[in-house]
Amino acid sequence: MALANEIMGSRLIFERSSSLASPFQSRFSIKKRTQRTQFSINPFDPRPIRAVNSSGVVAAISEDMVKTLRISTVGKKQEKEEEEEKSVKFKVRAVATVRNKNKEDFKDTLVKHLDAFTDQIGRNVVLELISTQVDPKTNEPKKSKAAVLKDWSKKSKLKAERVHYTAEFTVDSAFGSPGAITVTNKHQKEFFLESITIEGFACGPVHFPCNSWVQSQKDHPSKRIFFTNQPYLPSETPSGLKTLREKELENLRGNGKGERKLSDRIYDFDVYNDIGNPDISRELARPTFGGPKFPYPRRCRTGRSSTDTDMMSERRVEKPLPMYVPKDEQFEESKQNTFAACRLKAVLHNLIPSLKASILAEDFANFGEIDSLYKEGLLLKLGFQDDMFKKFPLPKIVTTLQKSSEGLLRYDTPKIVSKDKYAWLRDDEFARQAIAGINPVNIERVTSYPPVSNLDPEIYGPGLHSALTEDHIIGNLDGLSVQQALETNRLFMVDYHDIYLPFLDRINALEGRKAYATRTILFLTRLGTLKPIAIELSLPSQSSSNQKSKRVVTPPVDATSNWMWQLAKAHVGSNDAGVHQLVNHWLRTHACLEPFILAAHRQLSAMHPIFKLLDPHMRYTLEINAVARQTLISADGVIESCFTAGQYGLEISSAAYKNKWRFDMEGLPADLIRRGMAVPDPTQPHGLKLLVEDYPYANDGLLLWSAIQTWVRTYVERYYPDPNLIQTDIELQAWYSESINVGHADHRDAEWWPKLSTVDDLVSVITTIIWLASAQHAALNFGQYPYGGYVPNRPPLMRRLIPDESDPEFESFIEDPQKYFFSSMPSLLQTTKFMAVVDTLSTHSPDEEYIGERQQPSIWTGDAEIVDAFYGFSAEIGRIEKEIEKRNRDPSRRNRCGAGVLPYELMAPSSEPGVTCRGVPNSVSI
């Protein structure tokens, strides 16, 4: 029993139970909150219980103790006043849960022993309770006497993941309800405080979800402030907490000066001026992204000094040194063990150069050599390989390692070739991936034929007109005319013409890079599947290439045209891979969310109900974006070395942000309608009708979108029964304003930003943010290795153009088309490097939190009705998962079920750790 009492404040392990089987809508039918209520939630009960006090005031002490305080109402006035002045003292107990590291280095162990010793002589962890009430005599918040965490020295040797410490406070009967607690760490070493629970007040256990690093007082002298789980709008903040609420936000905002220390918890904005490294080489200099020339979202400020050669560029921090992000945004230990900075370091900076020195052939000779990466492994003739492998840990995709001078590296077989080895060659699979692959968000309905470019002919020349004609496609329209196909919504397109064409001259001048700006025309068959019927390949009209500026390739009729068709599809795949990674994945889900996250920490108190709603959807995003700046999108990083655009990749991303990105179009329904893939239809379940009925990404995405939207609406209506509360919420309005005017400063004057005045406005904004952080990111990320790990399926870059009869290369192509095909593909080194990276990006860590889950699910908020509503949301997510499983078994859904067809699981909410091609985490965490 003593142990049970001690862990009252510990993290509750949440399991979906049979109690969640009630209908989603009825679970969400809660009353709008009309006044502030106090809730007491027992974490060991399956359902939270609401504590009712008819007077609306929560007593500070128990009922038995109240009896001892009763005074006679008979007597002189002076006696009564004297009696009232006497305050009865009583004790309450705190249980603080501290999370230990699983692995400690020598320094950590040494400092830990030192802290254990000094704790015994008074250098303790000190807590102080703060009331929601103000002392009328001092006009300051009422405070308890300081209390120390007991037995720190005694428990320092415990190996448990979580250790529970107790403290005892003495308060008086007039203290009121606790609203905050301060923590002072007088030790040398920081510690991770998970939660504090106070027991002894009549209102029941009072919970403080902390989940934060508490730094040593010597590094950060100020006391740490933690608030209870009770949500308060700014206007409803109890008088005793108002000053602390403002002070904590000031601490998080900082003053915008100086270089950040790794232990800081300061959130601020800056431009992307740390991508290049001009001090090493002029070739590694890169422009600043964020500003008039290259518009871009803002990132987290680090305050590092400028480089020696360019005052506008920030000095880089290279691996293995960590980049600054606020301390609480850093990966937790289990996440670090999965992602591990040394993992990318091993693959990208040590293993690959060693391989380069030992591999004889630069290109694959045939498909068998690619297959051998999964069957037999990559034969390494390295005399020093045993020492190398001991020194550098390898990624998870390396599943077999023979400790000999001829070791083998074997990669996991990607899902795209696991069910049907040759599926990727088929036209129907090529088209299916446009609606059920890793990049299902670029396909659009053709509204006019031939397609029209939106580029300026005065800049890009007169040759912008499409080379596509009706003759190219008329034979593949099932007897329809082109006009009939347009009118019946049967023509679709994946169009990368305008995004690539302005950069092609520079891309094609790079060594080992060749690209077109592609357009692919797709036809919707009577069976509901798509087939490619024409591919347009464009080069700049003033291109120095001997090739024509435009050519159209159509489905093959003989051996030569078959190889031409396969090469054309490969170039489309290369275009697709670049736009997917640089625009749809990195820009739209990673970079564009960062300003909203930074502003949320700067402007929304931890007590604010909207912060509590957004909190799980912001986890790890700042850290993974910092890692991306350091390793992935940096000069000579993974994106530059593995993708067609090379060093111009972020310029393409910036152009997409400038010309295409609109926050009001980032929600799923709006995006589908914008691309012509759906039309509004109030008679349909989600208010729109899909024009490709079997569109797995959209079908499953709409289920999740609707569930998120319903949950958000329930939550928002609870706290904002009157639109005026939204308009006068100073923190909410400051968050939204700063997200736009600072975080997205290059779009601050855009007219398309949604207003934030009504419940509908707020529901739309929050739903869009949660959608992007969870389902949209999952759909674009966790299939990267399953689909891209087999590089011929979607090569990240191409090294040769397609020859025509006038080219000198045409003869060698005719003589050995397979050799020409592989010489156009990424080299062996580029392939293995790319495979290692996308495996890492596709991996779920063991501590992943999936949609419908939260840390401490019963106590993350003190509002019991919202806790209950969240269980309803979680239950609906479980029902969606079952529906997705059902759809994947339905043979009428040919785009996700059939011989050799991969089921569409990228929107399936749950997943095991590892590369699973499924699972929807709450946040952009990888």
Side-chain angles (χ1 to χ4, degrees), residues 110-124 152-154 156 187:
L110 187 65
V111 176
K112 185 176 181 180
H113 288 312
L114 179 62
D115 284 341
F117 172 74
T118 57
D119 190 82
Q120 295 177 312
I121 59 174
R123 296 193 64 82
N124 314 106
W152 189 284
S153 177
K154 181 180 177 181
S156 65
H187 292 165

Side-chain angles (χ1 to χ4, degrees), residues 18 241-242 416 575 693:
S18 59
L241 302 180
K242 286 182 178 179
I416 185 61
N575 271 196
E693 292 183 9

Side-chain angles (χ1 to χ4, degrees), residues 374-412:
Y374 319 111
K375 289 182 178 180
E376 301 169 6
L378 180 62
L379 183 63
L380 304 181
K381 297 179 180 179
L382 300 172
F384 56 90
Q385 77 177 55
D386 287 345
D387 291 336
M388 183 183 70
F389 291 151
K390 289 176 183 176
K391 183 177 180 182
F392 301 121
L394 295 173
K396 178 181 176 294
I397 50 173
V398 179
T399 56
T400 300
L401 177 61
Q402 295 183 356
K403 294 182 178 180
S404 66
S405 60
E406 294 186 350
L408 296 173
L409 294 179
R410 185 180 298 164
Y411 296 82
D412 289 342

